[in-house]
Amino acid sequence: MSEPERAVLMARGLAKTYGSAAGRVHALRGVDFDLARGELVVLLGPSGSGKSTLLHLLGGLDRASAGRLLFGDLDLAMLDERALTLYRRRHVGFVFQAYNLIASLTASENVALGAVGVERAIAPREALAHVGLADLADRFPAQLSGGEQQRVAVARAIVRQPDLLLCDEPTGALDSATGVVVLEALDRVNRDFATAVVVVTHNAVIGGLADRVVHLADGAIVRSWRNQARAEARNLAW
Amino acid sequence: MVIGLLDRKLLRDLWRWRAQGLGIVLVLACAVATVVMSFSVQRSLAETRADYYHRHGFADLFATLPPAPLSLADEVRRIPGVVAAAARIVGPGGISLDGFDEPITARLVSLPERDGPAVNVLALQQGRMPAGDRPDEIVIDAGFAKAHGLGPGSRLTMSIGGHKHTLVIAGTALSPEFIFALGPGQIVPDDRRFAIVWQDRRALAAALGLGDRFNDLALRLAPGASAAVAREAVDHLLAANGVVAVVHDRERQPSHAFVESQLEELGAIGVLVPAIFLGVAVFLLHASMLRIVELQRPEIGIVKALGFDDATVGRHYVKLALALAIAASVLGLPAGVGLGLVVTEIYAGFFRFPVLHYGPDLLAVAAVMVVLGAAAMLAALQPAARAAALPPARAILPPTPTSPRAIVGEQMVVRHLGVPAVLVLRQVVRLPLRTLLTTLAVAFAVGLQIATLFSFDALDEMVDVFYGRAQRQDATIAFAAPLPFGTLADIARWPGARQVEGRLDLPARLTLRGAARDVVLAGIPADATLQRLLDTALAPVTLADDGLALSRRLAGILGARIGDRVTVSPATGRPFDLPVAAIVEQYVGLGAYMDLATLGSRLDTGPIVTGAEVKFADEDRTDFLRALQGSSMVAGYMPRTATVEAFRETMARTLTIIVSAFVAFAAVAAFAIVDATVRVALSERLRELAILRALGFGESTILLMLAGELALAVALALPLGAAVGLGLGQVIVWTLDNDLFHVPLVVGWRSYATAAGTVLAAAILSSTLAAGRVRKIDVVAALRAAAA
């Protein structure tokens, strides 16, 4: 699945630096990274290794300082803010560690927020059903458990049937059992919709779920391997 | 769909934040209410007066002239632009009332002829007009009748033309000409000591020995006719007939001028204070919006990550501000309209308008909606732009903690006050903008109150300086006509008279380098002790033998400085030049003074006096008043205490009413500002406080920390608020300054204490309410959210 012609995303020499000349921080140092349609990649690495930065660049939340990042024919580095916004809306779904649900919207409304302006979006209730929360559609985030909130966040990300589903520590705030339920949801989305999924985590066990595991350290890819067979999410434990 | 979901979020956010939002909404609503109230009051009073003038044919031009034949009035009526001319008789009189031992001065005015022109038509309040065959019947002004409990059928003993007459009151009335009846020498109306009496023309002419002549003209002009042109034509016609008359338009008609100055004052303060309220409200909204955007960073982040553009996010926060503005309008508009009615009714009673037209100023309502909307957008602009510009990758992360800085003396604080005190200090130092916003908001709460409360201190100061330190006579007497200087010696011999000082009030025009002003130049003894002049430091000034003393405002109008030579042109007599020898402080009226003897020597008439300041022994007061009553030379008598009372009454029923409403709004706003500030601050720190709770800090320690931050902000805000209040007060003082009253900027300790007390009470109350929320903190939930 690593042939360039099948790549949804292709990054070459991707770099990101923060701060002024005096106190410059190199978050990413020339990373090459491809992502194929239907592929599930887990990015592993310690804090500060650059995995979240890479995820933000892939999702168009941030801009690279150097390098190229192609989504099909689209070079994200060349896009203005408006075009980046459209890119996120049409092609990307996000899941964050902090769930980031809008407290004043119900589960179904939070999911509907992800469908705004996207023609191919599925019904919010269908997306919720996909993560096993059809019955809790009208609850507010404060009325849901952490795992349920994160599954709502997954539903919000997939409601638009994105090409990419980018997850930043999706189980970071959850216990093992709840985390597994969320991972099952991600796995199902990946298989059912052939959505390319990138999961950032510092939890090596989750790597078993992936087609490919990419290990980052100090802003660079230090190792990368492909799993012979993907583990079932329910068999994972940490 | 975009609008739907984000707007739903907005509405639910508003509901969730209703307690915090209420404070902001209340301050905005106060601003809206003050604007609508002020403008509605002004508009209603102006319309009521215009309608009154129109329905009762209030004259446009007035002329006082020596007795002239009625045929002259016919010639005046033929002047182009003149539609009606009432040839009247006006004269002085005195009233004796049982049970009131002071002399009462009256102005007698002849009643319009039944088929005569409709000029200054009376609005009958009680009884009827005098019967044609009853020359002894009169109509008196309703204010005087009310002050003395008189009505139809009451009898009055009057002295007219040197003879006593017993007259019967047929009715009481109001007149557009005497909305405020100001007696000789009076600067504020005194209903108990001055009356307007209307009597049949022939009866009055007979009493004053005028026969078929008249001595007063009141003219109505055609709509659009120029008063200046008509005045010149009247002047010309009378001069051509050998009549030296004083012709003036409404601007110099005492009642109209007084009402005008009062309405102007209301107008000035009615624009300025609401503008200040609005400014403060906009600041609070701005500060709150900044904090709300900061609080909603993660939500902004996810909305952007979901593909909403910057403009949509920015618009969302502008809409939030607009929603608060709309809520404020819903509260403020009816409050303003309702209060406007109450205040207008009070004023209408004071102005004695026979009818009242109250209506909300729809233009003001529309304007305030537009201004409020624009102000809300202005307040939201920067916070919304900040939300729009927030990079999504940064927004979804919690704000980076700022690096802690060691504070000088920190260890000493730890030793003496413990760790929580250091946390309070660090909080303040680490987030200076937040501390600054809180401090400024509370400072405005203090300042707003001082800026409204000081009016009461200023009034006390005016009375103290003008009627306490400057004027020390027991009474002022106005003579019916100028009298020789020697008359003072006669008065000094009246029983009980202890001290008598003469005065010569001379209408004159003062001119300096092209600037001119018509004033009453007062000649007083250089070493006067009963009416003293005070310099700008309020120390007594001795008049130079040959120099002028000008009140500060008059000096400002003329651009006069010490040593400038001012040309004095008396209404009758030759002009002369005098140097300005002193600038004096005078809070009431425009003042020009010179030595009485020097002034006398400058006039053809020689040393004369038009009135006297007297001091008498309390125990001989009755005898003194009896002598006064028996004297035919006295036209007016004004006891100082009564004048002070009348002054206070006038102020209490004009400026004080609207200022009291403003003070009430300021107190509400102060409470709202402090409460909103405390609530927003608590929301911002909820997670942090939960962590402290989890770490083992007790509720009381946490409350102490919250209270400590607020106490620090309040401590900083009090002196700052005093400065803000003084600054706003200065602007109000500049705006209120007119020829009649010069309000000094004086803030008494009571005002400071009230302002500080309100804010402290609000702080304590808000902290108590906050304590309830602290107790309810779900530590586990907050920690889970904090960790997430």
Side-chain angles (χ1 to χ4, degrees):
Chain A
M1 285 202 264
S2 60
E3 294 90 334
E5 65 273 18
R6 294 187 58 198
V8 184
L9 264 180
M10 190 169 76
R12 291 293 177 267
L14 212 54
K16 178 71 185 175
T17 51
Y18 294 105
S20 59
R24 196 173 292 276
V25 176
H26 295 274
L28 276 185
R29 303 166 185 267
V31 167
D32 292 343
F33 178 80
D34 291 341
L35 183 65
R37 190 177 309 283
E39 190 180 18
L40 196 156
V41 174
V42 168
L43 297 181
L44 280 175
S47 291
S49 59
K51 52 189 192 302
S52 288
T53 303
L54 177 59
L55 194 82
H56 291 165
L57 294 181
L58 299 181
L61 284 179
D62 210 349
R63 288 166 182 283
S65 308
R68 298 181 69 202
L69 178 55
L70 294 174
F71 176 81
D73 295 331
L74 212 58
D75 187 348
L76 298 194
M78 307 301 286
L79 298 184
D80 61 10
E81 201 50 55
R82 188 180 163 77
L84 264 187
T85 301
L86 275 178
Y87 163 72
R88 290 198 300 268
R89 187 185 298 173
R90 289 181 183 160
H91 306 292
V92 189
F94 287 101
V95 177
F96 298 102
Q97 179 181 9
Y99 326 141
N100 290 73
L101 298 181
I102 307 286
S104 47
L105 295 181
T106 62
S108 137
E109 288 166 349
N110 263 289
V111 176
L113 204 60
V116 169
V118 183
E119 284 174 12
R120 63 178 177 196
I122 57 173
R125 284 186 185 263
E126 194 185 326
L128 279 170
H130 211 78
V131 296
L133 290 179
D135 295 342
L136 304 181
D138 295 327
R139 294 212 183 159
F140 284 96
Q143 299 166 316
L144 299 171
S145 72
E148 287 165 345
Q149 288 188 52
Q150 192 60 301
R151 281 190 282 156
V152 173
V154 174
R156 181 177 61 189
I158 62 165
V159 71
R160 55 177 59 173
Q161 302 199 71
D163 298 302
L164 301 169
L165 178 57
L166 306 177
C167 313
D168 194 357
E169 298 279 8
T171 60
L174 305 172
D175 58 59
S176 170
T178 317
V180 165
V181 177
V182 171
L183 290 177
E184 278 180 328
L186 293 177
D187 189 44
R188 198 158 48 242
V189 169
N190 172 249
R191 291 177 195 279
D192 294 356
F193 298 118
T195 307
V197 178
V198 180
V199 177
V200 160
T201 179
H202 60 269
N203 185 348
V205 175
I206 296 174
L209 193 71
D211 293 308
R212 186 156 54 103
V213 178
V214 175
H215 201 112
L216 281 102
D218 199 21
I221 295 176
V222 290
R223 274 196 316 278
S224 173
W225 67 90
R226 193 169 284 282
N227 286 325
Q228 292 299 320
R230 280 168 60 169
E232 294 280 328
R234 63 170 180 273
N235 295 330
L236 299 179
W238 58 88
Chain B
M1 191 65 173
V2 178
I3 304 299
L5 273 176
L6 285 185
D7 286 352
R8 213 176 299 171
K9 167 187 175 306
L10 187 144
L11 290 175
R12 294 211 186 115
D13 281 348
L14 276 174
W15 181 245
R16 213 155 47 99
W17 282 62
R18 60 191 178 279
Q20 290 96 320
L22 185 66
I24 304 164
V25 166
L26 268 181
V27 178
L28 286 170
C30 282
V32 170
T34 49
V35 172
V36 172
M37 179 190 77
S38 288
F39 282 83
S40 298
V41 169
Q42 288 169 51
R43 179 184 154 278
S44 301
L45 289 178
E47 274 190 8
T48 300
R49 183 181 68 166
D51 182 63
Y52 185 22
Y53 280 0
H54 176 71
R55 282 171 195 257
H56 290 261
F58 181 47
D60 298 295
L61 277 186
F62 304 83
T64 308
L65 58 160
L70 284 169
S71 56
L72 189 58
D74 291 332
E75 285 187 50
V76 170
R77 288 186 187 105
R78 284 195 285 273
I79 290 174
V82 173
V83 292
R88 312 184 301 178
I89 295 171
V90 174
I95 297 174
S96 304
L97 270 185
D98 289 342
F100 191 76
D101 60 2
E102 294 174 19
I104 297 167
T105 313
R107 174 166 298 149
L108 291 140
V109 183
S110 60
L111 281 165
E113 302 285 344
R114 285 184 196 283
D115 51 353
V119 182
N120 298 339
V121 178
L122 299 188
L124 205 60
Q125 299 295 293
Q126 280 183 304
R128 54 173 174 77
M129 297 299 279
D133 58 347
R134 292 284 305 272
D136 63 330
E137 284 192 338
I138 54 171
V139 172
I140 62 167
D141 75 88
F144 177 73
K146 193 177 168 203
H148 289 284
L150 301 170
S154 305
R155 285 172 184 278
L156 279 187
T157 305
M158 289 198 66
S159 124
I160 308 170
H163 299 283
K164 297 275 182 201
H165 298 260
T166 301
L167 302 169
V168 181
I169 298 172
T172 66
L174 298 174
S175 161
E177 191 182 2
F178 300 107
I179 291 175
F180 285 104
L182 292 167
Q186 284 182 347
I187 49 169
V188 286
D190 181 356
D191 282 343
R192 289 170 69 77
R193 291 168 188 82
F194 182 67
I196 307 292
V197 176
W198 290 275
Q199 194 180 16
D200 173 69
R201 207 191 75 80
R202 272 168 294 277
L204 187 55
L208 290 171
L210 287 178
D212 270 344
R213 292 176 297 165
F214 69 99
N215 64 1
D216 185 273
L217 269 173
L219 312 177
R220 269 203 303 113
L221 303 178
S226 157
V229 171
R231 191 181 65 203
E232 212 162 286
V234 172
D235 239 345
H236 188 73
L237 174 74
L238 295 178
N241 282 276
V243 177
V244 181
V246 180
V247 186
H248 60 85
D249 57 18
R250 282 181 181 178
E251 302 315 313
R252 291 186 56 192
Q253 201 267 343
S255 165
H256 176 85
F258 191 85
V259 175
E260 190 68 17
S261 83
Q262 294 297 305
L263 290 185
E264 268 177 19
E265 214 154 72
L266 273 181
I269 198 164
V271 171
L272 189 65
V273 175
I276 292 172
F277 266 91
L278 203 59
V280 172
V282 167
F283 167 78
L284 184 71
L285 183 59
H286 175 73
S288 306
M289 289 298 298
L290 277 178
R291 292 175 139 187
I292 289 171
V293 165
E294 196 55 34
L295 271 171
Q296 296 204 331
R297 272 173 69 115
E299 300 198 348
I300 294 169
I302 193 63
V303 167
K304 287 192 168 188
L306 288 173
F308 288 95
D309 57 22
D310 295 346
T312 306
V313 172
R315 259 202 314 273
H316 180 70
Y317 287 97
V318 172
K319 277 188 198 169
L320 181 67
L322 283 175
L324 290 170
I326 289 169
S329 304
V330 170
L331 271 182
L333 288 178
V337 170
L339 269 166
L341 175 61
V342 173
V343 171
T344 307
E345 275 177 349
I346 297 173
Y347 278 126
F350 176 63
F351 285 122
R352 291 199 208 112
F353 294 131
V355 286
L356 172 64
H357 296 282
Y358 179 73
D361 190 338
L362 294 178
L363 199 65
V365 169
V368 80
M369 297 285 281
V370 171
V371 169
L372 190 69
M377 288 212 274
L378 190 73
L381 211 58
Q382 193 210 349
R386 193 180 269 205
L390 207 56
R394 258 215 347 252
I396 52 172
L397 299 174
T400 322
T402 49
S403 27
R405 260 177 276 166
I407 303 163
V408 182
E410 194 175 274
Q411 288 313 311
M412 209 167 69
V413 176
V414 174
R415 266 201 304 281
H416 290 96
L417 299 170
V419 174
V422 170
L423 287 178
V424 169
L425 265 182
R426 284 218 184 122
Q427 188 70 21
V428 169
V429 174
R430 265 175 51 205
L431 299 167
L433 182 68
R434 200 158 85 180
T435 311
L436 183 72
L437 290 180
T438 306
T439 305
L440 277 179
V442 180
F444 274 125
V446 175
L448 208 53
Q449 291 183 88
I450 289 175
T452 46
L453 279 168
F454 92 91
S455 314
F456 302 115
D457 300 320
L459 185 57
D460 286 342
E461 172 79 1
M462 287 167 83
V463 169
D464 178 51
V465 170
F466 192 64
Y467 293 113
R469 281 192 250 183
Q471 305 209 7
R472 308 188 331 157
Q473 72 282 53
D474 287 324
T476 301
I477 294 169
F479 299 139
L483 296 172
F485 203 78
T487 312
L488 299 175
D490 295 340
I491 296 174
R493 282 193 290 274
W494 286 359
R498 288 207 171 149
Q499 199 178 346
V500 179
E501 284 176 5
R503 61 179 294 142
L504 170 54
D505 287 331
L506 185 72
R509 171 166 293 187
L510 303 189
T511 317
L512 174 67
R513 291 188 289 265
R517 192 71 175 197
D518 291 333
V519 295
V520 174
L521 174 64
I524 57 173
D527 53 354
T529 57
L530 295 185
Q531 176 174 329
R532 298 193 305 180
L533 300 178
L534 306 173
D535 65 17
T536 46
L538 303 181
V541 176
T542 304
L543 263 177
D545 285 347
D546 213 12
L548 277 173
L550 301 179
S551 68
R552 197 154 52 88
R553 174 153 172 102
L554 181 57
I557 291 169
L558 295 174
R561 292 193 195 143
I562 303 279
D564 283 344
R565 290 192 75 81
V566 172
T567 304
V568 179
S569 312
T572 51
R574 286 186 307 268
F576 54 89
D577 281 3
L578 271 186
V580 176
I583 307 286
V584 297
E585 190 62 83
Q586 182 174 313
Y587 296 141
V588 182
L590 293 178
Y593 303 89
M594 64 180 287
D595 176 49
L596 178 61
T598 311
L599 179 56
S601 70
R602 298 272 184 175
L603 301 175
D604 300 335
T605 52
I608 50 166
V609 282
T610 56
E613 312 291 351
V614 292
K615 209 163 176 58
F616 47 77
D618 266 354
E619 61 272 20
D620 296 326
R621 180 175 171 276
T622 314
D623 292 336
F624 181 83
L625 289 176
R626 194 168 299 129
L628 194 70
Q629 300 256 37
S631 165
S632 58
M633 62 191 177
V634 175
Y637 170 78
M638 288 152 288
R640 189 168 56 94
T641 48
T643 309
V644 172
E645 201 180 297
F647 176 78
R648 277 194 183 279
E649 174 79 4
T650 301
M651 295 306 263
R653 299 186 66 174
T654 51
L655 206 55
T656 308
I657 292 168
I658 203 148
V659 167
S660 300
F662 289 148
V663 165
F665 278 127
V668 172
F671 255 91
I673 287 172
V674 174
D675 193 51
T677 307
V678 170
R679 284 174 186 278
V680 173
L682 182 60
S683 299
E684 285 168 342
R685 302 202 57 195
L686 215 51
R687 284 184 181 185
E688 203 175 311
L689 296 177
I691 294 169
L692 290 173
R693 285 289 309 280
L695 289 176
F697 284 90
E699 270 173 21
S700 54
T701 312
I702 287 175
L703 278 176
L704 218 60
M705 284 175 59
L706 267 183
E709 273 183 59
L710 184 63
L712 203 65
V714 169
L716 290 171
L718 287 181
L720 188 64
V724 168
L726 283 173
L728 295 176
Q730 184 62 61
V731 178
I732 291 176
V733 161
W734 283 330
T735 313
L736 282 185
D737 209 30
N738 62 24
D739 289 355
L740 206 53
F741 300 117
H742 324 302
V743 181
L745 179 60
V746 180
V747 184
W749 67 268
R750 271 196 201 91
S751 296
Y752 284 123
T754 307
T758 309
V759 165
L760 286 174
I764 291 168
L765 188 74
S766 300
S767 301
T768 312
L769 293 173
R773 284 189 73 196
V774 168
R775 276 186 205 107
K776 280 189 207 151
I777 292 177
D778 181 344
V779 178
V780 177
L783 284 181
R784 212 173 53 199

